[in-house]
Structure formats: C-alpha cells, structure tokens
Amino acid sequence: METLILKGNERQIVPCVATIGMFDGVHKGHRFVLEHICEQAKARQLASMVITFDRHPREVVQTDWKPLLLTTFEERMKLLGETGVDYCVVLPFTKELAALSARDFMLLMQERLGVKVLMTGYDNRFGHHRHETFEDYVRYGEEIGMEVRQLPAVSQKLKAKSQKPEISSSLVRNLLAEGKVSEAMECLSYPYRLTGKVVKGDHIGTTLGFPTANLQVNDSRKLIPAPGVYAVTCKKSTTNSQRLLGMMNIGTRPTFGTHTQTLEVHLLDYEGDLYGKEITVNFIKRLREERRFDNEEELKTQLKEDADSVHSLEFIV
C-alpha cells in the first residue's frame, strides 16, 4: 500500500474505487468494505483507495472531546496496509475540511484524487450536514459523474448477546469498557493491544513473588479496558522476540489501599530487566474483576490460580 498525505491544494489523481472513513480499529466491518473495494477495483481495472484522516474529526469539531481510540495513527496505517488496498490517502482534518458539504467533499475526492466509484459502509456519513442520507450521496454522484454504492452491515455473534450486533468501532469500545476483550477480539479479528514504556513501580508484585512491569501507554488517547485481571501476551515492540504469556492487572490495587490506576503485567516464565523498554500487550481474556483481599497470603493464592488459568491458554501464543 502506498500512503499519500494530501496537503493544501495538492492533487494525487489516481482513477480509483474508493471509500472514506476514520477506520478506527480496522475491524471486520471495515475489512468487509475494503475487500469489496479491492474486488470492484480489479473488476473495473482501476486502483483501490482508502481515504482517511490524520486525527479523529471530533477532535476538531468538538475541541473539549477526549478521544478513546482503538488504534493510534501508526497502528491504523499498519492495519490498513495489511488489507491489500493500493493507496491510502491521509487528509489533515481541519475546520475548513469540516465545513465542506457532502457534495463539495465528493467533488474534492473526484477532482483531487480521481475517485470514479465511491463505496460506503452501511452507517457511513460525511460532510458538514450529517443529516444527509445515502440517497443524497447517490444524487450528488449522478450530478458530478461519480458512482456511489453502499455495502450492508457486518454482524458478529457474541457470547453475551442474544442477537448478532452490527460491528462498529462504538461496539468494540463498549465491549472493552465492559472488560469483554475476547468478544472485542472477535469483532476486530486480532487482540486489542496497548503499547508503552515499562516504568518503575512500587515493587509490590516482587514482594509477592509476582514481579510486574508497569506500563505507561504511549498514547493517552488509547482506550484502557475495564479494571480487572486479564490473560495477555506480550513482546518487546522493537524486536522479533517470542510473545510471552502474562497476566495484567488494571486497577488501583485495593488490597494495598492505593488510589491511582496502574497497568501492571506479570510475564510467566520470564526473567529479565524490562525497565525503559517498549512493550506491546495483547489482551486475550478477562480472568476476573479486581478486588480487595484480606491479606497478602489470600492475594498470592489468587495470583497462583490466575497464573494457572493463563497457562491453560498457551495455544494463543
């Protein structure tokens, strides 16, 4: 995939079949759209293109809004690059861009990017007037000579749901906020992950016989899953080292009366110094809620049970 960052009034004319969106998470619903983009482009002997933004539009439209993102910009670009799309155009999202009507935005895509066919997801909306419908987009397309097509929703049967919900970035965020990382993984098609630097902690885990790496997440806009204890895999971000099994606690360590949230991961069967290193943690399964124990011995007994539970998931490495 070739990435193009469009600035000012630049033109990157590539006659293409395209789609547009934030694509936060690049989940199964997004991949469904992108697969059809590639198929249609091949059938029409055109290039395939995904058009996205350098930041979430709401960060510009609502300056007091705090994002809870599934993917950083770098993660999003990497995931999009794995879909087989020919080109990814990144538009710097500005107030001027936000003020464009859907019709003017479609003209921009046609005149500056060469979009011949625009394919949208079932819930995709763009342009300043958010009340405009897909039928409006089709009409604008007919006026300017652009074919507009809409794809159906993709649903996923989840364990805790009686019906198949439609996959969306909002659904994944809600699942993670409830600690349902396994179901989020079903929607994403990969484990949700956090990347950050290992910083010094209070060494409480070491005194319990379960030394932990305290994670300081690189991007404060990333969504942190609900408090609890999770089965995870972990690897150093800058190497091709093997993924290691681990268990991560997200919470305030109520047994010790602390109040600040920490992200601590204990790696099973690992000895080594990770301080200052960047690591990536993949969430596989929630083991339990965080809770207060009456004494350290009770906590150590529970931690051993948690470790046994993680070991039973070795097939995931």
Side-chain angles (χ1 to χ4, degrees), residues 258-269:
T258 59
H259 301 287
T260 303
Q261 186 184 70
T262 58
L263 287 74
E264 302 174 279
V265 59
H266 169 71
L267 299 179
L268 279 60
D269 309 317

Side-chain angles (χ1 to χ4, degrees), residues 18 57 72 103 125 149 168 181 198 222 228 232 239 277 298 309:
T72 64
R103 190 181 190 281
R125 295 287 183 274
R149 301 181 64 180
S168 66
V181 296
V198 176
K222 281 274 284 191
V232 300
T239 68
K277 301 288 195 307
E298 281 190 12
S309 296

Side-chain angles (χ1 to χ4, degrees), residues 1 17-19 23 34 48-52 80 85 87-90:
M1 180 182 78
V17 179
T19 189
F23 299 100
L34 295 172
S48 56
M49 179 182 289
V50 55
I51 304 168
T52 190
L80 287 172
V85 174
Y87 294 93
C88 176
V89 171
V90 180

Side-chain angles (χ1 to χ4, degrees), residues 271-298:
E271 292 183 8
D273 184 2
L274 290 173
Y275 286 128
K277 301 288 195 307
E278 186 177 86
I279 62 173
T280 296
V281 177
N282 297 289
F283 289 82
I284 307 301
K285 182 180 180 180
R286 193 182 197 212
L287 300 176
R288 60 179 174 85
E289 295 181 351
E290 185 185 47
R291 65 185 180 89
R292 183 183 180 281
F293 293 87
D294 292 334
N295 53 63
E296 290 187 11
E297 288 304 315
E298 281 190 12

Side-chain angles (χ1 to χ4, degrees), residues 95-296:
K95 290 183 178 179
E96 292 73 22
L97 191 65
L100 290 179
S101 66
R103 190 181 190 281
D104 286 342
F105 199 87
M106 290 170 67
L107 274 171
L108 179 152
M109 287 188 280
Q110 182 190 61
E111 295 175 356
R112 294 176 59 189
L113 298 174
V115 176
K116 301 291 186 184
V117 181
L118 178 66
M119 300 184 74
T120 72
Y122 77 100
D123 63 346
N124 197 8
R125 295 287 183 274
F126 55 87
H128 180 68
H129 302 293
R130 306 295 288 182
H131 63 271
E132 289 172 306
T133 65
F134 172 71
E135 287 69 26
D136 292 316
Y137 302 156
V138 171
R139 178 163 49 85
Y140 301 150
E142 290 172 348
E143 292 171 359
I144 66 174
M146 179 189 295
E147 181 182 348
V148 182
R149 301 181 64 180
Q150 186 178 48
L151 292 167
V154 176
S155 60
Q156 177 75 44
K157 180 66 176 133
L158 301 175
K159 295 175 184 176
K161 306 284 184 181
S162 57
Q163 296 181 332
K164 287 185 176 183
E166 295 168 344
I167 296 177
S168 66
S169 298
S170 295
L171 171 64
V172 178
R173 292 188 195 103
N174 291 338
L175 290 171
L176 292 171
E178 296 172 6
K180 297 175 181 177
V181 296
S182 298
E183 295 183 5
M185 180 164 55
E186 292 178 48
C187 295
L188 292 169
S189 76
Y190 61 88
Y192 184 67
R193 56 184 61 113
L194 294 174
T195 297
K197 184 178 290 187
V198 176
V199 298
K200 290 190 179 294
D202 299 326
H203 302 288
I204 292 175
T206 301
T207 64
L208 297 170
F210 290 87
T212 60
N214 289 262
L215 188 68
Q216 181 177 292
V217 178
N218 287 346
D219 192 331
S220 62
R221 300 175 301 170
K222 281 274 284 191
L223 187 155
I224 306 298
V229 178
Y230 296 88
V232 300
T233 63
C234 177
K235 66 176 294 186
K236 296 177 185 177
S237 302
T238 56
T239 68
N240 292 320
S241 59
Q242 179 188 14
R243 280 193 174 91
L244 298 166
L245 286 171
M247 52 191 194
M248 169 168 265
N249 183 77
I250 297 176
T252 58
R253 299 176 294 184
T255 301
F256 300 95
T258 59
H259 301 287
T260 303
Q261 186 184 70
T262 58
L263 287 74
E264 302 174 279
V265 59
H266 169 71
L267 299 179
L268 279 60
D269 309 317
Y270 175 81
E271 292 183 8
D273 184 2
L274 290 173
Y275 286 128
K277 301 288 195 307
E278 186 177 86
I279 62 173
T280 296
V281 177
N282 297 289
F283 289 82
I284 307 301
K285 182 180 180 180
R286 193 182 197 212
L287 300 176
R288 60 179 174 85
E289 295 181 351
E290 185 185 47
R291 65 185 180 89
R292 183 183 180 281
F293 293 87
D294 292 334
N295 53 63
E296 290 187 11

